[in-house]
C-alpha cells in the first residue's frame, strides 16, 4: 500500500494513506456512522463487525486505504473514508468501502474535502485498492460483495477494472401474522434435525454438491470445493461472519435410508429483532419436493421463538427459481447490491 495526495480543487487536496498507519480510535467515529447506515438500510446491527475491525486496526493488520483531511489544523487529520480487503491464499476479497455520509457538511475551508461527495471519495479509495490488488503478483482473483451499497453505486470503478458484476437481492419478510404453531409436513423419505457441532464436514460436502455449476459458485469460489465450503461454514458458524449463529434455528435434512444430507438451512440473529438466513441449499436431485419451502417455514418458527420479527436473506437475481420461491413465501426485495469478480488472465 502506498500514500497518495489527491487533488480535489485548485490548491486543495486530501491524503490517501495506508490503513495500517491508523489505530482503531482514528476510525471509530466513521465506523459509528456506518453502523447507523446498516441499521437504517438493512435493519442490521453492524457493531460486532465494527468492533472486530477496530481490533484488526489496533493490530496494524488491516490492509487498505483511508482518506484523511489534510487541511491545516491542530492534531492529525480526520479520517473521512476507508476501504479494506482480506487475503485468502491467492484470492483477495474487498471487505468494505465507506465514506462519512455527512462529509459534505464538514465546514470549509477547514476541510480538504470541500466539493467532494461521499461517493466520489469512496470511488477514489476503491480505485486505489483495486489497482493495488491487480498489480499484486500473488493475487489471481478478487471478489467483492458490498452488501450495504445499492446496486450500481460503484459499478463504474468495478467495470473499469475489468470486473464481472452480478446483481443480488436483499429480501425481507415480516413475521407479523405468521402462524408460529402451524404443523409443518416433512416430505416422505426424509428426516430433519437441528444443527450440531459435528455437522461441519457433512455440510461442507453438501454445499459444494449443491453449488456445482451454480452461478453463485462464480461469485464465491468457496462453494466449489468441500474445503472451501468448510471455510465458509466456519466463518458463519464459529466466527460470527454474518451475525450471531443460531444452532436452534439451523437444520439439516437427511435421506431416511442412506442418512445422506440432502438440504441445509442456517440462520443467524443480525439485530435484536431481525434474523438472517445465511444459507439455504437443496441437493439438485431432491429439488422440487418442497424441502426449500419447508425449511423457510422452519426458519420462521425458530426465529419467532427468539422474539425475531422479520427475516432477511440474499439471493442472486439470475437465480429465478429461488427468487420465485422466496416471493411466494412472503419475501420482498428491500435492497439490491452488486457482487463483483475479477480473475487474472
Amino acid at each position: 500500500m502506498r500514500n497518495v495526495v489527491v487533488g480535489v480543487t485548485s490548491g486543495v487536496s486530501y491524503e490517501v494513506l495506508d490503513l495500517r498507519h491508523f489505530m482503531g480510535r482514528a476510525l471509530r467515529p466513521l465506523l459509528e456512522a456506518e453502523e447507523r447506515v446498516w441499521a437504517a438500510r438493512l435493519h442490521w446491527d453492524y457493531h460486532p463487525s465494527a468492533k472486530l475491525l477496530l481490533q484488526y486496526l489496533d493490530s496494524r493488520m488491516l490492509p487498505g486505504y483511508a482518506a484523511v483531511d489534510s487541511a491545516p489544523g491542530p492534531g492529525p487529520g480526520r479520517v473521512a473514508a476507508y476501504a479494506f480487503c482480506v487475503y485468502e491464499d491467492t484470492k483477495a476479497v474487498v471487505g468494505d468501502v465507506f465514506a462519512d455520509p455527512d462529509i459534505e457538511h464538514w465546514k470549509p475551508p477547514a476541510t480538504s474535502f470541500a466539493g467532494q461527495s461521499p461517493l466520489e471519495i469512496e470511488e477514489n479509495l476503491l480505485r486505489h485498492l483495486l489497482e493495488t490488488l491487480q498489480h499484486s503478483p500473488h493475487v489471481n482473483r478478487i471478489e467483492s460483495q458490498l452488501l450495504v451499497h445499492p446496486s450500481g453505486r460503484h459499478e463504474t470503478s468495478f467495470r473499469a477494472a475489468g470486473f464481472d458484476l452480478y446483481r443480488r437481492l436483499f429480501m425481507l419478510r415480516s413475521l407479523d401474522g405468521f402462524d408460529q404453531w402451524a404443523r409443518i409436513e416433512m416430505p416422505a423419505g426424509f428426516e430433519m434435525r437441528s444443527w450440531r457441532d459435528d455437522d461441519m464436514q457433512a455440510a461442507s460436502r453438501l454445499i459444494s454438491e449443491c453449488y456445482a455449476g451454480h452461478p453463485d459458485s462464480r461469485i464465491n469460489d468457496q462453494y466449489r470445493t468441500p474445503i472451501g465450503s468448510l471455510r465458509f461454514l466456519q466463518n458463519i458458524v464459529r466466527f460470527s461472519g454474518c451475525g450471531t449463529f443460531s444452532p436452534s434455528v439451523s437444520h439439516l435434512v437427511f435421506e431416511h435410508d442412506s442418512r445422506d444430507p440432502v438440504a441445509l438451512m442456517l440462520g443467524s440473529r443480525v439485530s435484536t429483532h431481525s434474523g438472517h438466513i445465511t444459507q439455504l441449499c437443496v441437493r439438485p436431485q431432491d429439488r422440487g419436493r418442497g424441502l426449500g419451502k419447508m425449511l423457510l417455514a422452519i426458519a420462521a418458527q425458530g426465529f419467532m421463538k427468539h422474539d425475531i420479527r422479520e427475516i432477511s436473506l440474499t439471493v442472486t437475481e439470475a437465480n429465478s427459481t429461488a427468487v420465485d420461491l422466496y416471493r411466494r413465501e412472503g419475501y420482498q426485495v428491500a435492497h439490491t447490491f452488486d457482487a463483483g469478480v475479477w480473475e487474472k488472465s
Side-chain angles (χ1 to χ4, degrees):
M1 302 291 175
R2 63 202 185 285
N3 298 341
V4 184
V5 177
V6 181
V8 179
T9 59
S10 178
V12 180
S13 63
Y14 65 88
E15 293 182 295
V16 175
L17 302 178
D18 189 323
L19 194 56
R20 289 169 292 195
H21 290 336
F22 299 89
M23 297 292 287
R25 62 178 178 273
L27 275 81
R28 189 182 301 275
L30 184 61
L31 290 172
E32 290 174 350
E34 188 169 12
E35 288 179 33
R36 293 190 289 272
V37 173
W38 278 78
R41 191 168 293 165
L42 304 177
H43 307 171
W44 201 299
D45 182 5
Y46 192 69
H47 182 71
S49 297
K51 184 178 179 180
L52 183 61
L53 288 174
L54 291 172
Q55 293 173 0
Y56 276 104
L57 286 164
D58 286 340
S59 300
R60 312 284 190 176
M61 293 174 58
L62 195 65
Y65 288 107
V68 184
D69 195 345
S70 60
R78 180 177 174 184
V79 177
Y82 78 110
F84 77 90
C85 66
V86 295
Y87 294 103
E88 299 175 5
D89 299 325
T90 61
K91 180 177 75 173
V93 179
V94 178
D96 198 6
V97 57
F98 183 80
D100 187 341
D102 296 323
I103 189 71
E104 292 166 300
H105 300 294
W106 289 15
K107 294 182 179 179
T111 173
S112 57
F113 293 104
Q116 287 283 285
S117 69
L119 174 58
E120 289 171 315
I121 299 168
E122 288 178 355
E123 287 279 271
N124 185 33
L125 289 186
L126 189 56
R127 284 193 294 269
H128 282 296
L129 183 60
L130 296 180
E131 179 182 335
T132 297
L133 295 176
Q134 290 180 327
H135 286 85
S136 298
H138 68 284
V139 174
N140 296 324
R141 177 181 172 90
I142 307 172
E143 295 177 357
S144 173
Q145 293 197 56
L146 301 177
L147 176 59
V148 79
H149 293 298
S151 178
R153 179 173 175 85
H154 293 297
E155 180 177 0
T156 299
S157 290
F158 283 114
R159 294 288 189 195
F163 277 68
D164 294 326
L165 294 181
Y166 303 83
R167 194 166 185 253
R168 305 204 73 218
L169 312 179
F170 180 88
M171 303 185 75
L172 192 70
R173 73 152 296 170
S174 170
L175 292 178
D176 290 346
F178 183 85
D179 186 355
Q180 182 179 353
W181 309 109
R183 180 178 175 82
I184 297 174
E185 295 292 337
M186 172 71 64
F190 299 105
E191 296 180 14
M192 182 181 64
R193 62 166 171 77
S194 58
W195 178 268
R196 298 193 313 221
D197 289 341
D198 60 357
D199 285 327
M200 298 287 282
Q201 295 292 338
S204 65
R205 292 192 296 270
L206 174 63
I207 289 173
S208 63
E209 181 180 0
C210 290
Y211 285 95
H214 194 280
D216 284 4
S217 67
R218 167 66 177 159
I219 295 170
N220 184 350
D221 69 350
Q222 288 182 328
Y223 289 151
R224 299 177 187 177
T225 65
I227 293 176
S229 297
L230 183 60
R231 289 183 180 178
F232 165 79
L233 285 170
Q234 288 172 335
N235 185 48
I236 296 296
V237 174
R238 295 179 178 170
F239 304 130
S240 301
C242 194
T244 302
F245 179 65
S246 178
S248 63
V249 170
S250 305
H251 286 74
L252 276 129
V253 178
F254 297 84
E255 268 186 342
H256 178 75
D257 294 332
S258 69
R259 308 304 300 164
D260 290 336
V262 301
L264 168 69
M265 184 272 296
L266 303 179
S268 293
R269 180 190 290 268
V270 294
S271 67
T272 304
H273 297 298
S274 294
H276 185 75
I277 295 176
T278 59
Q279 179 61 232
L280 176 62
C281 63
V282 179
R283 199 170 62 173
Q285 60 265 43
D286 294 302
R287 291 169 188 166
R289 303 177 69 177
L291 293 174
K293 177 178 179 179
M294 179 197 69
L295 287 170
L296 289 172
I298 291 291
Q301 288 188 343
F303 276 126
M304 289 189 75
K305 292 176 183 177
H306 296 280
D307 199 29
I308 294 295
R309 300 172 184 170
E310 62 182 12
I311 310 175
S312 61
L313 53 80
T314 61
V315 59
T316 303
E317 186 177 46
N319 188 0
S320 58
T321 301
V323 173
D324 290 344
L325 168 64
Y326 300 146
R327 289 187 187 279
R328 290 196 301 270
E329 296 307 307
Y331 288 82
Q332 297 180 339
V333 177
H335 173 71
T336 63
F337 63 102
D338 291 325
V341 178
W342 173 88
E343 290 189 283
K344 185 175 291 184
S345 58

mmCIF file of all heavy atoms in Angstrom, residues 201-237:
data_model
loop_
_atom_site.group_PDB
_atom_site.id
_atom_site.type_symbol
_atom_site.label_atom_id
_atom_site.label_comp_id
_atom_site.label_asym_id
_atom_site.label_seq_id
_atom_site.Cartn_x
_atom_site.Cartn_y
_atom_site.Cartn_z
ATOM 1 N N GLN A 201 -18.328 -31.097 8.460
ATOM 2 C CA GLN A 201 -17.785 -31.819 7.315
ATOM 3 C C GLN A 201 -18.886 -32.241 6.346
ATOM 4 O O GLN A 201 -18.772 -32.048 5.127
ATOM 5 C CB GLN A 201 -16.980 -33.037 7.787
ATOM 6 C CG GLN A 201 -15.735 -32.708 8.590
ATOM 7 C CD GLN A 201 -14.657 -32.037 7.743
ATOM 8 O OE1 GLN A 201 -14.638 -32.164 6.521
ATOM 9 N NE2 GLN A 201 -13.750 -31.330 8.394
ATOM 10 N N ALA A 202 -19.947 -32.839 6.880
ATOM 11 C CA ALA A 202 -21.048 -33.285 6.019
ATOM 12 C C ALA A 202 -21.703 -32.100 5.321
ATOM 13 O O ALA A 202 -22.040 -32.171 4.129
ATOM 14 C CB ALA A 202 -22.076 -34.058 6.841
ATOM 15 N N ALA A 203 -21.868 -31.005 6.041
ATOM 16 C CA ALA A 203 -22.498 -29.822 5.459
ATOM 17 C C ALA A 203 -21.625 -29.204 4.370
ATOM 18 O O ALA A 203 -22.130 -28.710 3.359
ATOM 19 C CB ALA A 203 -22.789 -28.792 6.549
ATOM 20 N N SER A 204 -20.308 -29.211 4.566
ATOM 21 C CA SER A 204 -19.417 -28.638 3.552
ATOM 22 C C SER A 204 -19.467 -29.453 2.258
ATOM 23 O O SER A 204 -19.448 -28.887 1.157
ATOM 24 C CB SER A 204 -17.985 -28.565 4.083
ATOM 25 O OG SER A 204 -17.445 -29.851 4.324
ATOM 26 N N ARG A 205 -19.569 -30.776 2.378
ATOM 27 C CA ARG A 205 -19.703 -31.606 1.174
ATOM 28 C C ARG A 205 -21.034 -31.344 0.476
ATOM 29 O O ARG A 205 -21.111 -31.293 -0.764
ATOM 30 C CB ARG A 205 -19.571 -33.084 1.543
ATOM 31 C CG ARG A 205 -18.161 -33.485 2.000
ATOM 32 C CD ARG A 205 -18.012 -35.000 2.081
ATOM 33 N NE ARG A 205 -18.883 -35.585 3.093
ATOM 34 C CZ ARG A 205 -18.526 -35.758 4.365
ATOM 35 N NH1 ARG A 205 -17.329 -35.380 4.788
ATOM 36 N NH2 ARG A 205 -19.371 -36.316 5.228
ATOM 37 N N LEU A 206 -22.083 -31.172 1.265
ATOM 38 C CA LEU A 206 -23.399 -30.894 0.690
ATOM 39 C C LEU A 206 -23.401 -29.563 -0.056
ATOM 40 O O LEU A 206 -23.927 -29.468 -1.174
ATOM 41 C CB LEU A 206 -24.456 -30.880 1.793
ATOM 42 C CG LEU A 206 -25.871 -30.454 1.367
ATOM 43 C CD1 LEU A 206 -26.441 -31.440 0.354
ATOM 44 C CD2 LEU A 206 -26.782 -30.328 2.591
ATOM 45 N N ILE A 207 -22.820 -28.523 0.528
ATOM 46 C CA ILE A 207 -22.803 -27.211 -0.111
ATOM 47 C C ILE A 207 -22.072 -27.261 -1.450
ATOM 48 O O ILE A 207 -22.554 -26.738 -2.463
ATOM 49 C CB ILE A 207 -22.165 -26.165 0.829
ATOM 50 C CG1 ILE A 207 -23.110 -25.867 1.997
ATOM 51 C CG2 ILE A 207 -21.833 -24.878 0.080
ATOM 52 C CD1 ILE A 207 -22.527 -24.975 3.061
ATOM 53 N N SER A 208 -20.907 -27.900 -1.471
ATOM 54 C CA SER A 208 -20.157 -27.964 -2.730
ATOM 55 C C SER A 208 -20.928 -28.757 -3.785
ATOM 56 O O SER A 208 -20.858 -28.447 -4.982
ATOM 57 C CB SER A 208 -18.777 -28.569 -2.497
ATOM 58 O OG SER A 208 -18.871 -29.911 -2.045
ATOM 59 N N GLU A 209 -21.692 -29.775 -3.363
ATOM 60 C CA GLU A 209 -22.510 -30.538 -4.305
ATOM 61 C C GLU A 209 -23.676 -29.696 -4.825
ATOM 62 O O GLU A 209 -23.983 -29.702 -6.024
ATOM 63 C CB GLU A 209 -23.044 -31.800 -3.621
ATOM 64 C CG GLU A 209 -23.885 -32.686 -4.525
ATOM 65 C CD GLU A 209 -24.403 -33.931 -3.821
ATOM 66 O OE1 GLU A 209 -24.112 -34.105 -2.613
ATOM 67 O OE2 GLU A 209 -25.102 -34.728 -4.479
ATOM 68 N N CYS A 210 -24.309 -28.945 -3.935
ATOM 69 C CA CYS A 210 -25.462 -28.131 -4.327
ATOM 70 C C CYS A 210 -25.072 -27.006 -5.278
ATOM 71 O O CYS A 210 -25.868 -26.609 -6.144
ATOM 72 C CB CYS A 210 -26.131 -27.537 -3.084
ATOM 73 S SG CYS A 210 -26.987 -28.738 -2.047
ATOM 74 N N TYR A 211 -23.867 -26.472 -5.136
ATOM 75 C CA TYR A 211 -23.468 -25.312 -5.935
ATOM 76 C C TYR A 211 -22.620 -25.673 -7.147
ATOM 77 O O TYR A 211 -22.097 -24.777 -7.821
ATOM 78 C CB TYR A 211 -22.732 -24.308 -5.058
ATOM 79 C CG TYR A 211 -23.655 -23.530 -4.155
ATOM 80 C CD1 TYR A 211 -23.878 -23.932 -2.846
ATOM 81 C CD2 TYR A 211 -24.332 -22.405 -4.620
ATOM 82 C CE1 TYR A 211 -24.736 -23.237 -2.008
ATOM 83 C CE2 TYR A 211 -25.197 -21.707 -3.800
ATOM 84 C CZ TYR A 211 -25.395 -22.125 -2.493
ATOM 85 O OH TYR A 211 -26.248 -21.432 -1.677
ATOM 86 N N ALA A 212 -22.480 -26.950 -7.451
ATOM 87 C CA ALA A 212 -21.729 -27.348 -8.645
ATOM 88 C C ALA A 212 -22.406 -26.774 -9.887
ATOM 89 O O ALA A 212 -23.585 -27.034 -10.146
ATOM 90 C CB ALA A 212 -21.654 -28.867 -8.724
ATOM 91 N N GLY A 213 -21.681 -25.964 -10.650
ATOM 92 C CA GLY A 213 -22.237 -25.343 -11.845
ATOM 93 C C GLY A 213 -23.221 -24.228 -11.587
ATOM 94 O O GLY A 213 -23.835 -23.699 -12.522
ATOM 95 N N HIS A 214 -23.404 -23.844 -10.332
ATOM 96 C CA HIS A 214 -24.375 -22.805 -9.945
ATOM 97 C C HIS A 214 -23.754 -21.420 -10.137
ATOM 98 O O HIS A 214 -22.560 -21.237 -9.925
ATOM 99 C CB HIS A 214 -24.758 -23.014 -8.478
ATOM 100 C CG HIS A 214 -25.962 -22.245 -8.039
ATOM 101 N ND1 HIS A 214 -25.900 -20.914 -7.705
ATOM 102 C CD2 HIS A 214 -27.255 -22.616 -7.880
ATOM 103 C CE1 HIS A 214 -27.102 -20.501 -7.345
ATOM 104 N NE2 HIS A 214 -27.940 -21.510 -7.443
ATOM 105 N N PRO A 215 -24.543 -20.406 -10.550
ATOM 106 C CA PRO A 215 -23.992 -19.051 -10.706
ATOM 107 C C PRO A 215 -23.295 -18.525 -9.461
ATOM 108 O O PRO A 215 -22.320 -17.781 -9.559
ATOM 109 C CB PRO A 215 -25.224 -18.207 -11.055
ATOM 110 C CG PRO A 215 -26.199 -19.166 -11.649
ATOM 111 C CD PRO A 215 -25.963 -20.473 -10.950
ATOM 112 N N ASP A 216 -23.761 -18.914 -8.274
ATOM 113 C CA ASP A 216 -23.152 -18.397 -7.050
ATOM 114 C C ASP A 216 -21.741 -18.920 -6.833
ATOM 115 O O ASP A 216 -20.961 -18.322 -6.092
ATOM 116 C CB ASP A 216 -24.025 -18.739 -5.841
ATOM 117 C CG ASP A 216 -25.244 -17.845 -5.744
ATOM 118 O OD1 ASP A 216 -25.440 -17.012 -6.661
ATOM 119 O OD2 ASP A 216 -26.016 -17.976 -4.789
ATOM 120 N N SER A 217 -21.397 -20.055 -7.470
ATOM 121 C CA SER A 217 -20.024 -20.546 -7.352
ATOM 122 C C SER A 217 -19.075 -19.718 -8.205
ATOM 123 O O SER A 217 -17.858 -19.786 -8.026
ATOM 124 C CB SER A 217 -19.941 -22.016 -7.750
ATOM 125 O OG SER A 217 -20.203 -22.197 -9.131
ATOM 126 N N ARG A 218 -19.613 -18.952 -9.122
ATOM 127 C CA ARG A 218 -18.816 -17.976 -9.855
ATOM 128 C C ARG A 218 -18.525 -16.766 -8.970
ATOM 129 O O ARG A 218 -17.425 -16.215 -8.976
ATOM 130 C CB ARG A 218 -19.563 -17.549 -11.124
ATOM 131 C CG ARG A 218 -19.022 -16.326 -11.838
ATOM 132 C CD ARG A 218 -17.647 -16.541 -12.412
ATOM 133 N NE ARG A 218 -17.199 -15.365 -13.159
ATOM 134 C CZ ARG A 218 -15.927 -15.091 -13.427
ATOM 135 N NH1 ARG A 218 -14.982 -15.916 -13.019
ATOM 136 N NH2 ARG A 218 -15.597 -14.027 -14.103
ATOM 137 N N ILE A 219 -19.502 -16.387 -8.165
ATOM 138 C CA ILE A 219 -19.363 -15.222 -7.292
ATOM 139 C C ILE A 219 -18.458 -15.533 -6.113
ATOM 140 O O ILE A 219 -17.626 -14.718 -5.718
ATOM 141 C CB ILE A 219 -20.754 -14.769 -6.806
ATOM 142 C CG1 ILE A 219 -21.587 -14.272 -7.995
ATOM 143 C CG2 ILE A 219 -20.643 -13.693 -5.736
ATOM 144 C CD1 ILE A 219 -23.044 -14.025 -7.650
ATOM 145 N N ASN A 220 -18.632 -16.704 -5.519
ATOM 146 C CA ASN A 220 -17.869 -17.121 -4.344
ATOM 147 C C ASN A 220 -17.243 -18.472 -4.624
ATOM 148 O O ASN A 220 -17.935 -19.494 -4.631
ATOM 149 C CB ASN A 220 -18.787 -17.191 -3.121
ATOM 150 C CG ASN A 220 -18.044 -17.530 -1.844
ATOM 151 O OD1 ASN A 220 -16.865 -17.902 -1.865
ATOM 152 N ND2 ASN A 220 -18.723 -17.431 -0.708
ATOM 153 N N ASP A 221 -15.934 -18.497 -4.864
ATOM 154 C CA ASP A 221 -15.293 -19.759 -5.243
ATOM 155 C C ASP A 221 -15.173 -20.737 -4.081
ATOM 156 O O ASP A 221 -14.807 -21.892 -4.283
ATOM 157 C CB ASP A 221 -13.924 -19.511 -5.884
ATOM 158 C CG ASP A 221 -12.879 -18.978 -4.914
ATOM 159 O OD1 ASP A 221 -13.234 -18.609 -3.768
ATOM 160 O OD2 ASP A 221 -11.696 -18.909 -5.308
ATOM 161 N N GLN A 222 -15.513 -20.322 -2.863
ATOM 162 C CA GLN A 222 -15.508 -21.262 -1.738
ATOM 163 C C GLN A 222 -16.533 -22.373 -1.938
ATOM 164 O O GLN A 222 -16.364 -23.484 -1.436
ATOM 165 C CB GLN A 222 -15.788 -20.531 -0.426
ATOM 166 C CG GLN A 222 -14.652 -19.657 0.054
ATOM 167 C CD GLN A 222 -14.971 -18.999 1.384
ATOM 168 O OE1 GLN A 222 -16.122 -18.691 1.685
ATOM 169 N NE2 GLN A 222 -13.952 -18.765 2.188
ATOM 170 N N TYR A 223 -17.611 -22.077 -2.666
ATOM 171 C CA TYR A 223 -18.663 -23.063 -2.887
ATOM 172 C C TYR A 223 -18.210 -24.218 -3.780
ATOM 173 O O TYR A 223 -18.901 -25.235 -3.866
ATOM 174 C CB TYR A 223 -19.869 -22.407 -3.546
ATOM 175 C CG TYR A 223 -20.657 -21.468 -2.671
ATOM 176 C CD1 TYR A 223 -21.352 -20.394 -3.220
ATOM 177 C CD2 TYR A 223 -20.737 -21.663 -1.300
ATOM 178 C CE1 TYR A 223 -22.103 -19.537 -2.437
ATOM 179 C CE2 TYR A 223 -21.477 -20.808 -0.506
ATOM 180 C CZ TYR A 223 -22.153 -19.743 -1.083
ATOM 181 O OH TYR A 223 -22.898 -18.900 -0.304
ATOM 182 N N ARG A 224 -17.085 -24.086 -4.448
ATOM 183 C CA ARG A 224 -16.708 -25.063 -5.473
ATOM 184 C C ARG A 224 -16.127 -26.356 -4.900
ATOM 185 O O ARG A 224 -16.123 -27.385 -5.578
ATOM 186 C CB ARG A 224 -15.692 -24.440 -6.433
ATOM 187 C CG ARG A 224 -16.229 -23.218 -7.169
ATOM 188 C CD ARG A 224 -15.157 -22.604 -8.051
ATOM 189 N NE ARG A 224 -15.607 -21.341 -8.636
ATOM 190 C CZ ARG A 224 -14.852 -20.569 -9.401
ATOM 191 N NH1 ARG A 224 -13.603 -20.934 -9.671
ATOM 192 N NH2 ARG A 224 -15.339 -19.440 -9.886
ATOM 193 N N THR A 225 -15.615 -26.314 -3.682
ATOM 194 C CA THR A 225 -14.973 -27.490 -3.101
ATOM 195 C C THR A 225 -15.427 -27.680 -1.656
ATOM 196 O O THR A 225 -15.818 -26.712 -0.980
ATOM 197 C CB THR A 225 -13.442 -27.345 -3.110
ATOM 198 O OG1 THR A 225 -13.068 -26.251 -2.253
ATOM 199 C CG2 THR A 225 -12.919 -27.088 -4.523
ATOM 200 N N PRO A 226 -15.356 -28.901 -1.142
ATOM 201 C CA PRO A 226 -15.675 -29.109 0.273
ATOM 202 C C PRO A 226 -14.761 -28.312 1.200
ATOM 203 O O PRO A 226 -15.225 -27.815 2.238
ATOM 204 C CB PRO A 226 -15.485 -30.621 0.451
ATOM 205 C CG PRO A 226 -15.739 -31.193 -0.898
ATOM 206 C CD PRO A 226 -15.177 -30.185 -1.866
ATOM 207 N N ILE A 227 -13.491 -28.181 0.858
ATOM 208 C CA ILE A 227 -12.568 -27.416 1.707
ATOM 209 C C ILE A 227 -12.974 -25.948 1.736
ATOM 210 O O ILE A 227 -13.003 -25.309 2.793
ATOM 211 C CB ILE A 227 -11.120 -27.581 1.212
ATOM 212 C CG1 ILE A 227 -10.645 -29.018 1.423
ATOM 213 C CG2 ILE A 227 -10.193 -26.609 1.941
ATOM 214 C CD1 ILE A 227 -9.268 -29.304 0.872
ATOM 215 N N GLY A 228 -13.285 -25.397 0.570
ATOM 216 C CA GLY A 228 -13.732 -24.004 0.529
ATOM 217 C C GLY A 228 -15.041 -23.810 1.261
ATOM 218 O O GLY A 228 -15.228 -22.826 1.986
ATOM 219 N N SER A 229 -15.969 -24.749 1.085
ATOM 220 C CA SER A 229 -17.259 -24.655 1.780
ATOM 221 C C SER A 229 -17.083 -24.754 3.285
ATOM 222 O O SER A 229 -17.839 -24.137 4.052
ATOM 223 C CB SER A 229 -18.198 -25.761 1.286
ATOM 224 O OG SER A 229 -18.482 -25.601 -0.085
ATOM 225 N N LEU A 230 -16.083 -25.522 3.718
ATOM 226 C CA LEU A 230 -15.798 -25.611 5.147
ATOM 227 C C LEU A 230 -15.341 -24.263 5.683
ATOM 228 O O LEU A 230 -15.729 -23.850 6.790
ATOM 229 C CB LEU A 230 -14.748 -26.684 5.404
ATOM 230 C CG LEU A 230 -14.378 -26.951 6.870
ATOM 231 C CD1 LEU A 230 -15.599 -27.399 7.664
ATOM 232 C CD2 LEU A 230 -13.267 -28.002 6.960
ATOM 233 N N ARG A 231 -14.528 -23.552 4.924
ATOM 234 C CA ARG A 231 -14.111 -22.199 5.336
ATOM 235 C C ARG A 231 -15.321 -21.278 5.452
ATOM 236 O O ARG A 231 -15.432 -20.487 6.397
ATOM 237 C CB ARG A 231 -13.125 -21.622 4.319
ATOM 238 C CG ARG A 231 -11.746 -22.269 4.321
ATOM 239 C CD ARG A 231 -10.853 -21.555 3.329
ATOM 240 N NE ARG A 231 -9.521 -22.132 3.279
ATOM 241 C CZ ARG A 231 -8.563 -21.707 2.464
ATOM 242 N NH1 ARG A 231 -8.789 -20.723 1.619
ATOM 243 N NH2 ARG A 231 -7.376 -22.284 2.493
ATOM 244 N N PHE A 232 -16.198 -21.369 4.473
ATOM 245 C CA PHE A 232 -17.427 -20.574 4.510
ATOM 246 C C PHE A 232 -18.230 -20.880 5.774
ATOM 247 O O PHE A 232 -18.683 -19.976 6.482
ATOM 248 C CB PHE A 232 -18.254 -20.864 3.258
ATOM 249 C CG PHE A 232 -19.675 -20.402 3.328
ATOM 250 C CD1 PHE A 232 -20.005 -19.079 3.123
ATOM 251 C CD2 PHE A 232 -20.702 -21.308 3.610
ATOM 252 C CE1 PHE A 232 -21.318 -18.652 3.198
ATOM 253 C CE2 PHE A 232 -22.015 -20.892 3.686
ATOM 254 C CZ PHE A 232 -22.330 -19.557 3.476
ATOM 255 N N LEU A 233 -18.406 -22.160 6.076
ATOM 256 C CA LEU A 233 -19.170 -22.555 7.251
ATOM 257 C C LEU A 233 -18.513 -22.090 8.547
ATOM 258 O O LEU A 233 -19.189 -21.632 9.474
ATOM 259 C CB LEU A 233 -19.349 -24.072 7.280
ATOM 260 C CG LEU A 233 -20.361 -24.656 6.304
ATOM 261 C CD1 LEU A 233 -20.259 -26.172 6.273
ATOM 262 C CD2 LEU A 233 -21.771 -24.228 6.686
ATOM 263 N N GLN A 234 -17.206 -22.206 8.616
ATOM 264 C CA GLN A 234 -16.503 -21.768 9.825
ATOM 265 C C GLN A 234 -16.708 -20.281 10.059
ATOM 266 O O GLN A 234 -16.874 -19.832 11.200
ATOM 267 C CB GLN A 234 -15.022 -22.102 9.713
ATOM 268 C CG GLN A 234 -14.726 -23.595 9.830
ATOM 269 C CD GLN A 234 -13.295 -23.950 9.542
ATOM 270 O OE1 GLN A 234 -12.597 -23.235 8.823
ATOM 271 N NE2 GLN A 234 -12.820 -25.066 10.090
ATOM 272 N N ASN A 235 -16.699 -19.511 8.986
ATOM 273 C CA ASN A 235 -16.916 -18.070 9.124
ATOM 274 C C ASN A 235 -18.319 -17.768 9.627
ATOM 275 O O ASN A 235 -18.519 -16.872 10.452
ATOM 276 C CB ASN A 235 -16.676 -17.383 7.777
ATOM 277 C CG ASN A 235 -16.757 -15.874 7.876
ATOM 278 O OD1 ASN A 235 -16.162 -15.272 8.753
ATOM 279 N ND2 ASN A 235 -17.496 -15.259 6.966
ATOM 280 N N ILE A 236 -19.292 -18.531 9.148
ATOM 281 C CA ILE A 236 -20.680 -18.313 9.540
ATOM 282 C C ILE A 236 -20.968 -18.841 10.940
ATOM 283 O O ILE A 236 -21.588 -18.167 11.773
ATOM 284 C CB ILE A 236 -21.633 -18.990 8.525
ATOM 285 C CG1 ILE A 236 -21.514 -18.346 7.138
ATOM 286 C CG2 ILE A 236 -23.070 -18.959 9.029
ATOM 287 C CD1 ILE A 236 -21.927 -16.911 7.088
ATOM 288 N N VAL A 237 -20.502 -20.055 11.213
ATOM 289 C CA VAL A 237 -20.891 -20.761 12.437
ATOM 290 C C VAL A 237 -20.002 -20.394 13.618
ATOM 291 O O VAL A 237 -20.495 -20.145 14.722
ATOM 292 C CB VAL A 237 -20.866 -22.283 12.197
ATOM 293 C CG1 VAL A 237 -21.115 -23.042 13.488
ATOM 294 C CG2 VAL A 237 -21.894 -22.669 11.139
#
